[in-house]
Amino acid sequence: MTERAALRTYECDGLAAYRCTPGLVVLPRSTDEVAYVVRRCHDLSVPFVARGSGTGLSGGALPLGDGVLIVLSRMTRLLDADIDDQRAVVEPGVVNLDVTRAVQADGFYYAPDPSSQQVCSIGGNVAENSGGAHCLKYGFTVNHVTGLEVVMPDGSVERFGGRAPDPPGYDVVGAFVGSEGTLGIATEVTVRLLRKPETVQTLLAGFRTMDDAGRAVSAIIGAGVVPAAVEMMDALAVEAAEAAVSCAYPEGAGAVLIVELDGHEVEVAEQLATVEAFCRDAGAFELRIAADDEQRGQIWRGRKSAFAAVGRISPDYIVQDGVVPRTSLPQVLRDIAALSKETGIRVANVFHAGDGNLHPLVLFDETRAETERAEEVSSRILDLCIEHGGSITGEHGVGADKKRHMGRMYSDVDLDVMQMVRCAFDPFGLCNPGKVFPTPRLCGERPGRRTGVHPLQEAGLADLF
Ligand SMILES: Cc1cc2nc3c(=O)[nH]c(=O)nc-3n(C[C@H](O)[C@H](O)[C@H](O)COP(=O)(O)OP(=O)(O)OC[C@H]3O[C@@H](n4cnc5c(N)ncnc54)[C@H](O)[C@@H]3O)c2cc1C
């Protein structure tokens, strides 16, 4: 694609605050076509960026004005489903949920379940090491990918791993998963298939306060129960979900907890009784257990729609993603509430409570000049995560958005080591440059995202649209 209007379709991913019209967009259908494009880029020193479905929330697939955007969404073939060995081999543009759809009749499924799973691609999941509600028990994408075919940044094609788990030597698959499109382009992915559990039970609990719900989570995990998922939402997030999808969560709840248990029937029945007891002890005033798939779907509808639902209660919002050790959750949530009060910026909290992965939704109104304050709150939440021994991202990646925070978490030596790994794959820095690693700012430029009119706009040399 070379037409300006068509190119603009690809100017951003799910983080629309960052936009850039790509120089050229290509939509290859095979590994050979990807390799051809990458080889040409390499020969001509043209940078390139891979894109799956463009649902990323950190600007990872943000294109380059002088580069090529390689969109994998036409590579959607399921190449093999080996039920006996519990492996599927898929092209990178295959949508996450389609892997499960392809094997569910045989009683199998693909476990990592980002909330975007109806549209996001396996290639994007690999690049971001995506997680989801059920990753507490089953692990992240990296735990479910055993092999990769990769078009390297010079256009050569390599294979790493295979169908067997844990091959000898360096774990190149482990290094590639989560590398955010900076080490090459995955053109074939071998994933694990899991047998569907015998029983699933889903419980919804309403609490008056987040502290009460937090106590229930600590008690459940502390007792050695490993639920498939433990998700929590605060009152503001519940209000948004209610407005968007009428999920009928307990009225007046200051916190809602969703606990899903799966496994053998007897084991799940016993664990369900334990979870119910812990919830009541912690002050749950309403408990519901899904009687069938429809009720289970109703319980999950509110949680799965939470990010988009926030648009119902705020014209603008930032989806933040950080991690803290699970035991620090109550303190960090109190600190976020204090920060919100201090700045007058509302924060809705949705999170994977079992593994401490927070998704604070920072609400603001651009027309009321709240953007800068909201960004400040969002950034200070990351500081809180670091202070408590956590991380600046749990599952959405660093991308373009958080590269400036990397120096807060890592020393220069750490960053140099990572750059050496990157250079081993991509010595000329052509593969998704300008992402993940902080770039030095110009002299006199203040840190943070640029606000106000750019000097080039002022001089009439550039337009912002
Ligand atoms: C409503 C909503 C809910 C979400 N919920 C979750 C969630 O629960 N958990 C979660 O982890 N994320 C979530 N996300 C974020 C996003 O969906 C994931 O990061 C997803 O993995 C991105 O996949 P994609 O195909 O859209 O990738 P893109 O956005 O197109 O790309 C993401 C990154 O992957 C790289 N890339 C893409 N394809 C390849 C490839 N074949 N080889 C190498 N690099 C490649 C790109 O260069 C970019 O850096 C959510 C997003 C939205 C909008």
Side-chain angles (χ1 to χ4, degrees), residues 80-216:
D80 189 20
D82 182 345
I83 296 297
D84 291 339
D85 270 339
Q86 299 190 208
R87 295 288 184 274
V89 183
V90 301
E91 288 187 332
V94 168
V95 165
N96 173 303
L97 202 52
D98 285 347
V99 181
T100 292
R101 287 193 182 116
V103 296
Q104 63 190 5
D106 293 304
F108 286 81
Y109 75 113
Y110 176 62
D113 60 339
S115 303
S116 51
Q117 68 180 152
Q118 293 185 10
V119 281
C120 67
S121 72
I122 292 292
N125 292 176
V126 166
E128 300 288 3
N129 187 19
S130 293
H134 293 79
C135 291
L136 172 65
K137 181 169 179 180
Y138 293 103
F140 281 60
T141 301
V142 70
N143 305 113
H144 295 269
V145 173
T146 59
L148 290 167
E149 177 189 78
V150 175
V151 171
M152 302 293 282
D154 64 359
S156 60
V157 180
E158 300 290 346
R159 284 187 173 273
F160 303 116
R163 295 188 185 211
D166 197 21
Y170 290 128
D171 181 9
V172 184
V173 172
F176 192 92
V177 177
S179 61
E180 304 195 25
T182 62
L183 302 185
I185 299 184
T187 45
E188 205 183 282
V189 185
T190 304
V191 297
R192 285 176 204 274
L193 300 173
L194 299 192
R195 192 179 285 278
K196 275 201 280 189
E198 188 181 296
T199 315
V200 180
Q201 289 284 4
T202 309
L203 171 143
L204 177 81
F207 295 84
R208 296 284 171 220
T209 67
M210 294 285 278
D211 272 1
D212 288 351
R215 271 208 313 281

Side-chain angles (χ1 to χ4, degrees), residues 199-353:
T199 315
V200 180
Q201 289 284 4
T202 309
L203 171 143
L204 177 81
F207 295 84
R208 296 284 171 220
T209 67
M210 294 285 278
D211 272 1
D212 288 351
R215 271 208 313 281
V217 175
S218 294
I220 293 165
I221 306 276
V225 177
V226 183
V230 183
E231 299 290 302
M232 209 195 286
M233 292 164 73
D234 71 4
L236 203 50
V238 170
E239 182 192 325
E242 211 61 69
V245 294
S246 307
C247 46
Y249 284 167
E251 219 166 291
V256 157
L257 194 65
I258 299 173
V259 182
E260 192 155 276
L261 300 156
D262 67 10
H264 294 297
E265 207 164 331
V266 178
E267 184 190 8
V268 169
E270 195 179 312
Q271 289 182 339
L272 186 64
T274 309
V275 169
E276 269 188 271
F278 282 136
C279 286
R280 285 195 203 286
D281 287 352
F285 66 89
E286 190 172 333
L287 282 176
R288 290 182 210 159
I289 294 161
D292 51 31
D293 281 351
E294 199 185 321
Q295 288 186 8
R296 179 166 307 116
Q298 173 74 9
I299 288 178
W300 277 110
R301 200 154 25 248
R303 167 60 187 91
K304 294 256 176 186
S305 68
F307 289 179
V310 168
R312 299 277 180 148
I313 59 165
S314 176
D316 304 292
Y317 60 96
I318 299 167
V319 180
Q320 190 47 283
D321 163 46
V323 188
V324 293
R326 190 175 35 77
T327 47
S328 305
L329 266 177
Q331 184 56 48
V332 172
L333 290 170
R334 277 195 290 274
D335 291 347
I336 293 175
L339 192 57
S340 169
K341 201 166 168 201
E342 175 197 324
T343 55
I345 293 288
R346 293 183 301 162
V347 181
N349 286 293
V350 179
F351 48 98
H352 307 306

Side-chain angles (χ1 to χ4, degrees), residues 438-449:
T439 40
R441 295 216 135 224
L442 298 179
C443 174
E445 233 181 319
R446 86 186 161 78
R449 202 181 302 168

